[in-house]
């Protein structure tokens, strides 16, 4: 993001993501809301963690990307056979990729000794439609052998070798990659302007 070089750090959230995914799977929730709630909870957990350390205005951005095939959420594969199954299901079909984003603001406590206040500034879900080419069993095996699918929602990464599997796309490439940069930068600019007021 323009002008932020050296002004941010990438810090993993302390949230137990697997437990939250299990909790959300037991609820009636749309794939779009699922991605947004994951992003909100990740950012909130990190914000609460940082509020004990930071004593200045700080922003925490959380994001989560999921693949939605006909209303079924495809998270990261559990193992090789799960990756093969997901890619087989995606082969030749359209699917939706939802990236949920949340921006939390940490504001200094009253007298400087208190923990910062952690508040949600904005959250949203951005969606893109993706069509996979028809893949042979050999194509799928070769891709899974690269190990790239193992930490990717839906078992593929469009920014890597998995981009070769994509025949068409409608929407923001960066949404499929995992962070819709244009939309995030607009929300972040709004949040920063609010601090300057």
């Amino acid at each position: 993001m323009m002008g932020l070089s050296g002004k941010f750090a990438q810090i993993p959230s302390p949230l137990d993501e697997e437990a939250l995914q299990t909790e959300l799977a037991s609820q009636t929730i749309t794939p779009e809301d699922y991605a947004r709630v994951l992003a909100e909870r990740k950012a909130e957990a990190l914000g609460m963690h940082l509020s004990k350390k930071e004593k200045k205005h700080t922003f925490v951005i959380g994001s989560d990307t999921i693949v939605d095939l006909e209303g079924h959420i495809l998270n990261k594969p559990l193992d090789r056979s799960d990756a093969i199954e997901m890619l087989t299901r995606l082969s030749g079909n359209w699917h939706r990729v939802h990236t949920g984003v949340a921006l939390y603001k940490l504001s200094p406590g009253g007298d400087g000794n208190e923990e910062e206040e952690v508040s949600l500034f904005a959250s949203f879900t951005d969606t893109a439609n993706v069509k996979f080419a028809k893949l042979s069993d050999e194509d799928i095996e070769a891709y899974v052998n690269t190990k790239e699918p193992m930490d990717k929602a839906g078992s593929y990464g469009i920014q890597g070798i998995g981009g070769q599997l994509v025949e068409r796309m409608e929407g923001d490439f960066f949404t499929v990659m995992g962070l819709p940069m244009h939309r995030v930068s607009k929300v972040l600019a709004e949040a920063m302007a609010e601090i300057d007021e």
Side-chain angles (χ1 to χ4, degrees):
M1 288 180 260
M2 293 183 288
L4 294 180
S5 181
K7 296 181 182 177
F8 67 91
Q10 185 177 346
I11 304 169
S13 175
L15 179 76
D16 182 347
E17 191 173 339
E18 205 171 287
L20 179 56
Q21 288 174 331
T22 301
E23 175 191 326
L24 292 176
S26 69
Q27 301 174 8
T28 303
I29 187 169
T30 66
E32 295 90 341
D33 286 342
Y34 181 95
R36 181 187 46 76
V37 169
L38 280 170
E40 287 175 356
R41 299 271 186 88
K42 279 182 179 179
E44 182 182 33
L46 182 56
M48 297 303 284
H49 174 73
L50 292 175
S51 72
K52 298 173 179 82
K53 300 176 182 179
E54 296 292 330
K55 298 300 175 204
K56 60 183 188 269
H57 286 288
T58 305
F59 294 102
V60 175
I61 298 172
S63 69
D64 203 276
T65 301
I66 61 159
V67 171
D68 168 3
L69 180 63
E70 299 173 352
H72 299 283
I73 296 169
L74 305 180
N75 285 306
K76 296 173 185 172
L78 302 172
D79 54 29
R80 178 183 171 80
S81 64
D82 195 29
I84 290 170
E85 180 189 342
M86 285 187 206
L87 292 165
T88 301
R89 290 174 63 196
L90 292 170
S91 175
N93 292 310
W94 281 95
H95 61 276
R96 302 176 82 203
V97 177
H98 307 291
T99 295
V101 177
L103 177 65
Y104 273 80
K105 181 172 68 171
L106 283 64
S107 304
D111 64 6
N113 293 323
E114 301 171 25
E115 288 183 3
E116 290 195 336
E117 176 187 331
V118 179
S119 59
L120 178 64
F121 181 81
S123 66
F124 61 86
T125 300
D126 206 66
T127 299
N129 297 309
V130 179
K131 177 149 190 312
F132 258 33
K134 185 71 178 152
L135 306 174
S136 68
D137 291 344
E138 292 78 18
D139 294 332
I140 292 170
E141 288 279 340
Y143 181 52
V144 172
N145 285 342
T146 69
K147 298 189 176 30
E148 183 180 86
M150 302 317 295
D151 67 342
K152 308 284 190 291
S155 298
Y156 78 97
I158 197 168
Q159 70 275 26
I161 300 165
Q164 297 175 48
L165 311 177
V166 175
E167 186 175 285
R168 286 183 54 196
M169 192 187 88
E170 297 169 352
D172 186 347
F173 174 82
F174 292 105
T175 293
V176 182
M177 248 181 83
L179 192 66
M181 295 296 290
H182 177 72
R183 197 161 170 196
V184 168
S185 64
K186 286 180 71 170
V187 170
L188 188 55
E190 291 169 15
M192 292 172 80
E194 192 176 277
I195 286 177
D196 293 337
E197 291 177 352

